[in-house]
PDB file of all heavy atoms in Angstrom:
ATOM      1  N   ALA Y 232      -3.200 -12.143  -0.393  1.00 92.00           N
ATOM      2  CA  ALA Y 232      -4.073 -11.309   0.481  1.00 92.00           C
ATOM      3  C   ALA Y 232      -3.172 -11.031   1.664  1.00 92.00           C
ATOM      4  O   ALA Y 232      -2.296 -11.742   2.105  1.00 92.00           O
ATOM      5  CB  ALA Y 232      -5.227 -12.121   0.925  1.00 92.00           C
ATOM      6  N   ALA Y 233      -3.448  -9.701   2.155  1.00 94.00           N
ATOM      7  CA  ALA Y 233      -2.697  -9.218   3.281  1.00 94.00           C
ATOM      8  C   ALA Y 233      -3.634  -8.231   4.026  1.00 94.00           C
ATOM      9  O   ALA Y 233      -4.596  -7.731   3.416  1.00 94.00           O
ATOM     10  CB  ALA Y 233      -1.454  -8.459   2.798  1.00 94.00           C
ATOM     11  N   TYR Y 234      -3.321  -7.897   5.227  1.00 96.00           N
ATOM     12  CA  TYR Y 234      -4.059  -6.934   5.993  1.00 96.00           C
ATOM     13  C   TYR Y 234      -3.132  -6.041   6.761  1.00 96.00           C
ATOM     14  O   TYR Y 234      -2.015  -6.391   7.144  1.00 96.00           O
ATOM     15  CB  TYR Y 234      -5.111  -7.498   6.877  1.00 96.00           C
ATOM     16  CG  TYR Y 234      -4.646  -8.311   7.973  1.00 96.00           C
ATOM     17  CD1 TYR Y 234      -4.575  -7.717   9.269  1.00 96.00           C
ATOM     18  CD2 TYR Y 234      -4.253  -9.697   7.871  1.00 96.00           C
ATOM     19  CE1 TYR Y 234      -4.108  -8.447  10.419  1.00 96.00           C
ATOM     20  CE2 TYR Y 234      -3.899 -10.349   9.026  1.00 96.00           C
ATOM     21  CZ  TYR Y 234      -3.811  -9.755  10.273  1.00 96.00           C
ATOM     22  OH  TYR Y 234      -3.328 -10.516  11.276  1.00 96.00           O
ATOM     23  N   LEU Y 235      -3.565  -4.806   7.065  1.00 97.00           N
ATOM     24  CA  LEU Y 235      -2.834  -3.780   7.712  1.00 97.00           C
ATOM     25  C   LEU Y 235      -3.677  -3.459   9.066  1.00 97.00           C
ATOM     26  O   LEU Y 235      -4.904  -3.184   8.984  1.00 97.00           O
ATOM     27  CB  LEU Y 235      -2.697  -2.490   6.964  1.00 97.00           C
ATOM     28  CG  LEU Y 235      -2.145  -1.273   7.532  1.00 97.00           C
ATOM     29  CD1 LEU Y 235      -0.681  -1.567   8.036  1.00 97.00           C
ATOM     30  CD2 LEU Y 235      -2.153  -0.044   6.630  1.00 97.00           C
ATOM     31  N   GLU Y 236      -3.124  -3.615  10.197  1.00 97.00           N
ATOM     32  CA  GLU Y 236      -3.679  -3.359  11.536  1.00 97.00           C
ATOM     33  C   GLU Y 236      -2.699  -2.794  12.341  1.00 97.00           C
ATOM     34  O   GLU Y 236      -1.557  -3.366  12.466  1.00 97.00           O
ATOM     35  CB  GLU Y 236      -4.319  -4.705  12.006  1.00 97.00           C
ATOM     36  CG  GLU Y 236      -5.080  -4.498  13.385  1.00 97.00           C
ATOM     37  CD  GLU Y 236      -5.665  -5.810  13.755  1.00 97.00           C
ATOM     38  OE1 GLU Y 236      -5.121  -6.863  13.595  1.00 97.00           O
ATOM     39  OE2 GLU Y 236      -6.795  -5.709  14.374  1.00 97.00           O
ATOM     40  N   ASN Y 237      -3.043  -1.767  13.130  1.00 96.00           N
ATOM     41  CA  ASN Y 237      -2.135  -1.004  14.022  1.00 96.00           C
ATOM     42  C   ASN Y 237      -0.780  -0.794  13.467  1.00 96.00           C
ATOM     43  O   ASN Y 237       0.205  -0.950  14.099  1.00 96.00           O
ATOM     44  CB  ASN Y 237      -1.930  -1.922  15.309  1.00 96.00           C
ATOM     45  CG  ASN Y 237      -3.214  -2.083  16.097  1.00 96.00           C
ATOM     46  OD1 ASN Y 237      -4.104  -1.185  16.125  1.00 96.00           O
ATOM     47  ND2 ASN Y 237      -3.451  -3.331  16.643  1.00 96.00           N
ATOM     48  N   GLY Y 238      -0.765  -0.242  12.199  1.00 94.00           N
ATOM     49  CA  GLY Y 238       0.499   0.119  11.452  1.00 94.00           C
ATOM     50  C   GLY Y 238       1.340  -1.110  11.072  1.00 94.00           C
ATOM     51  O   GLY Y 238       2.419  -0.864  10.492  1.00 94.00           O
ATOM     52  N   GLN Y 239       0.863  -2.287  11.154  1.00 96.00           N
ATOM     53  CA  GLN Y 239       1.600  -3.480  10.743  1.00 96.00           C
ATOM     54  C   GLN Y 239       1.007  -4.279   9.721  1.00 96.00           C
ATOM     55  O   GLN Y 239      -0.180  -4.632   9.885  1.00 96.00           O
ATOM     56  CB  GLN Y 239       1.899  -4.477  12.031  1.00 96.00           C
ATOM     57  CG  GLN Y 239       2.748  -3.856  13.161  1.00 96.00           C
ATOM     58  CD  GLN Y 239       4.185  -3.787  12.688  1.00 96.00           C
ATOM     59  OE1 GLN Y 239       4.634  -2.740  12.146  1.00 96.00           O
ATOM     60  NE2 GLN Y 239       4.990  -4.823  12.902  1.00 96.00           N
ATOM     61  N   TRP Y 240       1.771  -4.551   8.658  1.00 95.00           N
ATOM     62  CA  TRP Y 240       1.182  -5.496   7.583  1.00 95.00           C
ATOM     63  C   TRP Y 240       1.429  -6.883   7.994  1.00 95.00           C
ATOM     64  O   TRP Y 240       2.495  -7.319   8.474  1.00 95.00           O
ATOM     65  CB  TRP Y 240       1.898  -5.183   6.244  1.00 95.00           C
ATOM     66  CG  TRP Y 240       1.381  -3.885   5.589  1.00 95.00           C
ATOM     67  CD1 TRP Y 240       1.940  -2.708   5.630  1.00 95.00           C
ATOM     68  CD2 TRP Y 240       0.223  -3.869   4.717  1.00 95.00           C
ATOM     69  NE1 TRP Y 240       1.150  -1.777   4.803  1.00 95.00           N
ATOM     70  CE2 TRP Y 240       0.115  -2.563   4.329  1.00 95.00           C
ATOM     71  CE3 TRP Y 240      -0.742  -4.707   4.346  1.00 95.00           C
ATOM     72  CZ2 TRP Y 240      -0.876  -2.115   3.442  1.00 95.00           C
ATOM     73  CZ3 TRP Y 240      -1.701  -4.402   3.471  1.00 95.00           C
ATOM     74  CH2 TRP Y 240      -1.882  -3.127   3.031  1.00 95.00           C
ATOM     75  N   HIS Y 241       0.399  -7.757   7.625  1.00 95.00           N
ATOM     76  CA  HIS Y 241       0.470  -9.164   7.777  1.00 95.00           C
ATOM     77  C   HIS Y 241       0.036  -9.893   6.565  1.00 95.00           C
ATOM     78  O   HIS Y 241      -0.971  -9.531   5.956  1.00 95.00           O
ATOM     79  CB  HIS Y 241      -0.468  -9.574   8.990  1.00 95.00           C
ATOM     80  CG  HIS Y 241      -0.298  -8.793  10.220  1.00 95.00           C
ATOM     81  ND1 HIS Y 241       0.644  -9.165  11.121  1.00 95.00           N
ATOM     82  CD2 HIS Y 241      -0.840  -7.693  10.653  1.00 95.00           C
ATOM     83  CE1 HIS Y 241       0.604  -8.354  12.032  1.00 95.00           C
ATOM     84  NE2 HIS Y 241      -0.276  -7.412  11.925  1.00 95.00           N
ATOM     85  N   GLN Y 242       0.760 -10.907   6.181  1.00 91.00           N
ATOM     86  CA  GLN Y 242       0.403 -11.694   4.919  1.00 91.00           C
ATOM     87  C   GLN Y 242      -0.591 -12.788   5.327  1.00 91.00           C
ATOM     88  O   GLN Y 242      -0.320 -13.513   6.290  1.00 91.00           O
ATOM     89  CB  GLN Y 242       1.651 -12.247   4.351  1.00 91.00           C
ATOM     90  CG  GLN Y 242       1.379 -12.983   2.924  1.00 91.00           C
ATOM     91  CD  GLN Y 242       2.624 -13.322   2.325  1.00 91.00           C
ATOM     92  OE1 GLN Y 242       3.521 -13.853   2.915  1.00 91.00           O
ATOM     93  NE2 GLN Y 242       2.788 -13.065   1.039  1.00 91.00           N
ATOM     94  N   ILE Y 243      -1.676 -12.889   4.573  1.00 91.00           N
ATOM     95  CA  ILE Y 243      -2.638 -13.988   4.831  1.00 91.00           C
ATOM     96  C   ILE Y 243      -2.226 -15.225   3.957  1.00 91.00           C
ATOM     97  O   ILE Y 243      -2.007 -16.317   4.455  1.00 91.00           O
ATOM     98  CB  ILE Y 243      -4.010 -13.569   4.494  1.00 91.00           C
ATOM     99  CG1 ILE Y 243      -4.492 -12.411   5.465  1.00 91.00           C
ATOM    100  CG2 ILE Y 243      -5.023 -14.793   4.593  1.00 91.00           C
ATOM    101  CD1 ILE Y 243      -5.746 -11.736   4.984  1.00 91.00           C
ATOM    102  N   PHE Y 244      -1.911 -14.975   2.729  1.00 85.00           N
ATOM    103  CA  PHE Y 244      -1.508 -16.031   1.858  1.00 85.00           C
ATOM    104  C   PHE Y 244      -0.761 -15.431   0.589  1.00 85.00           C
ATOM    105  O   PHE Y 244      -1.084 -14.291   0.245  1.00 85.00           O
ATOM    106  CB  PHE Y 244      -2.563 -17.001   1.406  1.00 85.00           C
ATOM    107  CG  PHE Y 244      -3.382 -16.491   0.305  1.00 85.00           C
ATOM    108  CD1 PHE Y 244      -3.060 -16.915  -1.057  1.00 85.00           C
ATOM    109  CD2 PHE Y 244      -4.543 -15.794   0.485  1.00 85.00           C
ATOM    110  CE1 PHE Y 244      -3.786 -16.464  -2.132  1.00 85.00           C
ATOM    111  CE2 PHE Y 244      -5.301 -15.418  -0.498  1.00 85.00           C
ATOM    112  CZ  PHE Y 244      -5.005 -15.765  -1.782  1.00 85.00           C
ATOM    113  N   SER Y 245       0.121 -16.164   0.001  1.00 82.00           N
ATOM    114  CA  SER Y 245       0.762 -15.848  -1.198  1.00 82.00           C
ATOM    115  C   SER Y 245       0.561 -16.882  -2.201  1.00 82.00           C
ATOM    116  O   SER Y 245       0.751 -18.051  -1.949  1.00 82.00           O
ATOM    117  CB  SER Y 245       2.235 -15.661  -0.965  1.00 82.00           C
ATOM    118  OG  SER Y 245       2.995 -15.743  -2.239  1.00 82.00           O
ATOM    119  N   TYR Y 246       0.189 -16.537  -3.440  1.00 79.00           N
ATOM    120  CA  TYR Y 246      -0.123 -17.503  -4.493  1.00 79.00           C
ATOM    121  C   TYR Y 246       1.118 -18.294  -4.840  1.00 79.00           C
ATOM    122  O   TYR Y 246       1.175 -19.532  -4.844  1.00 79.00           O
ATOM    123  CB  TYR Y 246      -0.633 -16.760  -5.762  1.00 79.00           C
ATOM    124  CG  TYR Y 246      -0.746 -17.643  -6.922  1.00 79.00           C
ATOM    125  CD1 TYR Y 246      -1.852 -18.544  -7.220  1.00 79.00           C
ATOM    126  CD2 TYR Y 246       0.257 -17.733  -7.942  1.00 79.00           C
ATOM    127  CE1 TYR Y 246      -1.891 -19.281  -8.227  1.00 79.00           C
ATOM    128  CE2 TYR Y 246       0.170 -18.515  -9.079  1.00 79.00           C
ATOM    129  CZ  TYR Y 246      -0.908 -19.302  -9.205  1.00 79.00           C
ATOM    130  OH  TYR Y 246      -0.998 -20.174 -10.354  1.00 79.00           O
ATOM    131  N   GLY Y 247       2.280 -17.635  -4.848  1.00 77.00           N
ATOM    132  CA  GLY Y 247       3.538 -18.297  -5.181  1.00 77.00           C
ATOM    133  C   GLY Y 247       3.875 -19.388  -4.119  1.00 77.00           C
ATOM    134  O   GLY Y 247       4.253 -20.486  -4.401  1.00 77.00           O
ATOM    135  N   GLU Y 248       3.836 -19.010  -2.885  1.00 79.00           N
ATOM    136  CA  GLU Y 248       3.974 -19.983  -1.785  1.00 79.00           C
ATOM    137  C   GLU Y 248       3.006 -21.086  -1.756  1.00 79.00           C
ATOM    138  O   GLU Y 248       3.318 -22.214  -1.510  1.00 79.00           O
ATOM    139  CB  GLU Y 248       3.875 -19.128  -0.374  1.00 79.00           C
ATOM    140  CG  GLU Y 248       5.097 -18.283  -0.228  1.00 79.00           C
ATOM    141  CD  GLU Y 248       4.944 -17.508   1.082  1.00 79.00           C
ATOM    142  OE1 GLU Y 248       4.108 -17.740   1.981  1.00 79.00           O
ATOM    143  OE2 GLU Y 248       5.783 -16.520   1.316  1.00 79.00           O
ATOM    144  N   MET Y 249       1.788 -20.856  -2.158  1.00 74.00           N
ATOM    145  CA  MET Y 249       0.776 -21.859  -2.207  1.00 74.00           C
ATOM    146  C   MET Y 249       1.086 -22.825  -3.282  1.00 74.00           C
ATOM    147  O   MET Y 249       0.943 -24.041  -3.120  1.00 74.00           O
ATOM    148  CB  MET Y 249      -0.649 -21.182  -2.428  1.00 74.00           C
ATOM    149  CG  MET Y 249      -1.749 -22.095  -2.021  1.00 74.00           C
ATOM    150  SD  MET Y 249      -3.353 -21.226  -1.869  1.00 74.00           S
ATOM    151  CE  MET Y 249      -3.542 -20.293  -3.273  1.00 74.00           C
ATOM    152  N   VAL Y 250       1.514 -22.451  -4.457  1.00 73.00           N
ATOM    153  CA  VAL Y 250       1.936 -23.178  -5.490  1.00 73.00           C
ATOM    154  C   VAL Y 250       3.106 -24.054  -5.128  1.00 73.00           C
ATOM    155  O   VAL Y 250       3.079 -25.284  -5.371  1.00 73.00           O
ATOM    156  CB  VAL Y 250       2.159 -22.377  -6.838  1.00 73.00           C
ATOM    157  CG1 VAL Y 250       2.958 -23.265  -7.893  1.00 73.00           C
ATOM    158  CG2 VAL Y 250       0.952 -21.825  -7.430  1.00 73.00           C
ATOM    159  N   ASP Y 251       4.058 -23.486  -4.476  1.00 75.00           N
ATOM    160  CA  ASP Y 251       5.301 -24.164  -4.072  1.00 75.00           C
ATOM    161  C   ASP Y 251       4.830 -25.311  -2.993  1.00 75.00           C
ATOM    162  O   ASP Y 251       5.409 -26.436  -3.154  1.00 75.00           O
ATOM    163  CB  ASP Y 251       6.282 -23.239  -3.401  1.00 75.00           C
ATOM    164  CG  ASP Y 251       6.985 -22.433  -4.411  1.00 75.00           C
ATOM    165  OD1 ASP Y 251       6.836 -22.568  -5.591  1.00 75.00           O
ATOM    166  OD2 ASP Y 251       7.566 -21.396  -3.988  1.00 75.00           O
ATOM    167  N   ARG Y 252       4.056 -24.998  -2.134  1.00 75.00           N
ATOM    168  CA  ARG Y 252       3.620 -25.940  -1.165  1.00 75.00           C
ATOM    169  C   ARG Y 252       2.823 -27.100  -1.800  1.00 75.00           C
ATOM    170  O   ARG Y 252       2.978 -28.264  -1.453  1.00 75.00           O
ATOM    171  CB  ARG Y 252       2.701 -25.335   0.001  1.00 75.00           C
ATOM    172  CG  ARG Y 252       2.317 -26.246   1.032  1.00 75.00           C
ATOM    173  CD  ARG Y 252       1.654 -25.474   2.219  1.00 75.00           C
ATOM    174  NE  ARG Y 252       1.291 -26.447   3.109  1.00 75.00           N
ATOM    175  CZ  ARG Y 252       0.654 -26.183   4.260  1.00 75.00           C
ATOM    176  NH1 ARG Y 252       0.240 -24.947   4.499  1.00 75.00           N
ATOM    177  NH2 ARG Y 252       0.204 -27.057   5.147  1.00 75.00           N
ATOM    178  N   CYS Y 253       1.938 -26.771  -2.751  1.00 72.00           N
ATOM    179  CA  CYS Y 253       1.128 -27.837  -3.467  1.00 72.00           C
ATOM    180  C   CYS Y 253       2.055 -28.730  -4.247  1.00 72.00           C
ATOM    181  O   CYS Y 253       2.020 -29.996  -4.189  1.00 72.00           O
ATOM    182  CB  CYS Y 253       0.223 -27.242  -4.418  1.00 72.00           C
ATOM    183  SG  CYS Y 253      -1.313 -26.613  -3.524  1.00 72.00           S
ATOM    184  N   LYS Y 254       3.124 -28.138  -4.889  1.00 76.00           N
ATOM    185  CA  LYS Y 254       4.077 -28.926  -5.581  1.00 76.00           C
ATOM    186  C   LYS Y 254       4.909 -29.835  -4.595  1.00 76.00           C
ATOM    187  O   LYS Y 254       5.070 -31.079  -4.838  1.00 76.00           O
ATOM    188  CB  LYS Y 254       5.087 -28.056  -6.373  1.00 76.00           C
ATOM    189  CG  LYS Y 254       4.416 -27.492  -7.531  1.00 76.00           C
ATOM    190  CD  LYS Y 254       5.452 -26.585  -8.331  1.00 76.00           C
ATOM    191  CE  LYS Y 254       4.934 -25.995  -9.602  1.00 76.00           C
ATOM    192  NZ  LYS Y 254       5.816 -25.097 -10.282  1.00 76.00           N
ATOM    193  N   ALA Y 255       5.284 -29.342  -3.529  1.00 79.00           N
ATOM    194  CA  ALA Y 255       6.098 -30.080  -2.430  1.00 79.00           C
ATOM    195  C   ALA Y 255       5.301 -31.248  -1.919  1.00 79.00           C
ATOM    196  O   ALA Y 255       5.930 -32.318  -1.596  1.00 79.00           O
ATOM    197  CB  ALA Y 255       6.641 -29.100  -1.412  1.00 79.00           C
ATOM    198  N   GLU Y 256       3.978 -31.047  -1.768  1.00 74.00           N
ATOM    199  CA  GLU Y 256       3.170 -32.073  -1.254  1.00 74.00           C
ATOM    200  C   GLU Y 256       2.501 -32.980  -2.292  1.00 74.00           C
ATOM    201  O   GLU Y 256       1.711 -33.813  -1.989  1.00 74.00           O
ATOM    202  CB  GLU Y 256       2.052 -31.529  -0.376  1.00 74.00           C
ATOM    203  CG  GLU Y 256       2.607 -30.779   0.791  1.00 74.00           C
ATOM    204  CD  GLU Y 256       1.593 -30.069   1.674  1.00 74.00           C
ATOM    205  OE1 GLU Y 256       0.430 -30.349   1.535  1.00 74.00           O
ATOM    206  OE2 GLU Y 256       1.979 -29.228   2.645  1.00 74.00           O
ATOM    207  N   GLY Y 257       2.953 -32.785  -3.531  1.00 74.00           N
ATOM    208  CA  GLY Y 257       2.423 -33.687  -4.662  1.00 74.00           C
ATOM    209  C   GLY Y 257       1.005 -33.362  -4.931  1.00 74.00           C
ATOM    210  O   GLY Y 257       0.370 -34.229  -5.589  1.00 74.00           O
ATOM    211  N   LEU Y 258       0.525 -32.234  -4.591  1.00 65.00           N
ATOM    212  CA  LEU Y 258      -0.878 -31.857  -4.872  1.00 65.00           C
ATOM    213  C   LEU Y 258      -1.069 -30.981  -6.084  1.00 65.00           C
ATOM    214  O   LEU Y 258      -2.228 -30.720  -6.453  1.00 65.00           O
ATOM    215  CB  LEU Y 258      -1.487 -31.141  -3.699  1.00 65.00           C
ATOM    216  CG  LEU Y 258      -1.518 -31.900  -2.372  1.00 65.00           C
ATOM    217  CD1 LEU Y 258      -1.933 -31.033  -1.141  1.00 65.00           C
ATOM    218  CD2 LEU Y 258      -2.436 -33.124  -2.535  1.00 65.00           C
ATOM    219  N   TYR Y 259      -0.012 -30.445  -6.659  1.00 61.00           N
ATOM    220  CA  TYR Y 259      -0.091 -29.422  -7.695  1.00 61.00           C
ATOM    221  C   TYR Y 259      -0.928 -29.823  -8.933  1.00 61.00           C
ATOM    222  O   TYR Y 259      -1.790 -29.226  -9.401  1.00 61.00           O
ATOM    223  CB  TYR Y 259       1.275 -29.006  -8.008  1.00 61.00           C
ATOM    224  CG  TYR Y 259       1.267 -27.741  -8.974  1.00 61.00           C
ATOM    225  CD1 TYR Y 259       0.806 -26.529  -8.504  1.00 61.00           C
ATOM    226  CD2 TYR Y 259       1.736 -27.844 -10.254  1.00 61.00           C
ATOM    227  CE1 TYR Y 259       0.827 -25.421  -9.386  1.00 61.00           C
ATOM    228  CE2 TYR Y 259       1.824 -26.807 -11.100  1.00 61.00           C
ATOM    229  CZ  TYR Y 259       1.290 -25.532 -10.670  1.00 61.00           C
ATOM    230  OH  TYR Y 259       1.370 -24.456 -11.422  1.00 61.00           O
ATOM    231  N   ASP Y 260      -0.578 -31.044  -9.417  1.00 66.00           N
ATOM    232  CA  ASP Y 260      -1.316 -31.583 -10.650  1.00 66.00           C
ATOM    233  C   ASP Y 260      -2.714 -31.777 -10.361  1.00 66.00           C
ATOM    234  O   ASP Y 260      -3.572 -31.436 -11.091  1.00 66.00           O
ATOM    235  CB  ASP Y 260      -0.676 -32.884 -11.134  1.00 66.00           C
ATOM    236  CG  ASP Y 260       0.713 -32.635 -11.799  1.00 66.00           C
ATOM    237  OD1 ASP Y 260       0.918 -31.433 -12.296  1.00 66.00           O
ATOM    238  OD2 ASP Y 260       1.470 -33.581 -11.824  1.00 66.00           O
ATOM    239  N   GLY Y 261      -3.102 -32.179  -9.111  1.00 58.00           N
ATOM    240  CA  GLY Y 261      -4.488 -32.491  -8.816  1.00 58.00           C
ATOM    241  C   GLY Y 261      -5.236 -31.248  -8.690  1.00 58.00           C
ATOM    242  O   GLY Y 261      -6.419 -31.054  -9.168  1.00 58.00           O
ATOM    243  N   VAL Y 262      -4.595 -30.127  -8.207  1.00 54.00           N
ATOM    244  CA  VAL Y 262      -5.162 -28.834  -8.047  1.00 54.00           C
ATOM    245  C   VAL Y 262      -5.451 -28.223  -9.482  1.00 54.00           C
ATOM    246  O   VAL Y 262      -6.486 -27.745  -9.748  1.00 54.00           O
ATOM    247  CB  VAL Y 262      -4.280 -27.851  -7.279  1.00 54.00           C
ATOM    248  CG1 VAL Y 262      -4.794 -26.420  -7.427  1.00 54.00           C
ATOM    249  CG2 VAL Y 262      -4.319 -28.181  -5.811  1.00 54.00           C
TER     250      VAL Y 262
END
Side-chain angles (χ1 to χ4, degrees):
Y234 68 94
L235 175 60
E236 182 177 33
N237 298 322
Q239 294 288 90
W240 279 98
H241 307 274
Q242 187 173 45
I243 298 171
F244 80 92
S245 160
Y246 173 80
E248 289 174 12
M249 203 164 47
V250 167
D251 291 346
R252 185 172 176 183
C253 286
K254 285 180 178 178
E256 295 178 13
L258 301 171
Y259 189 66
D260 286 335
V262 169

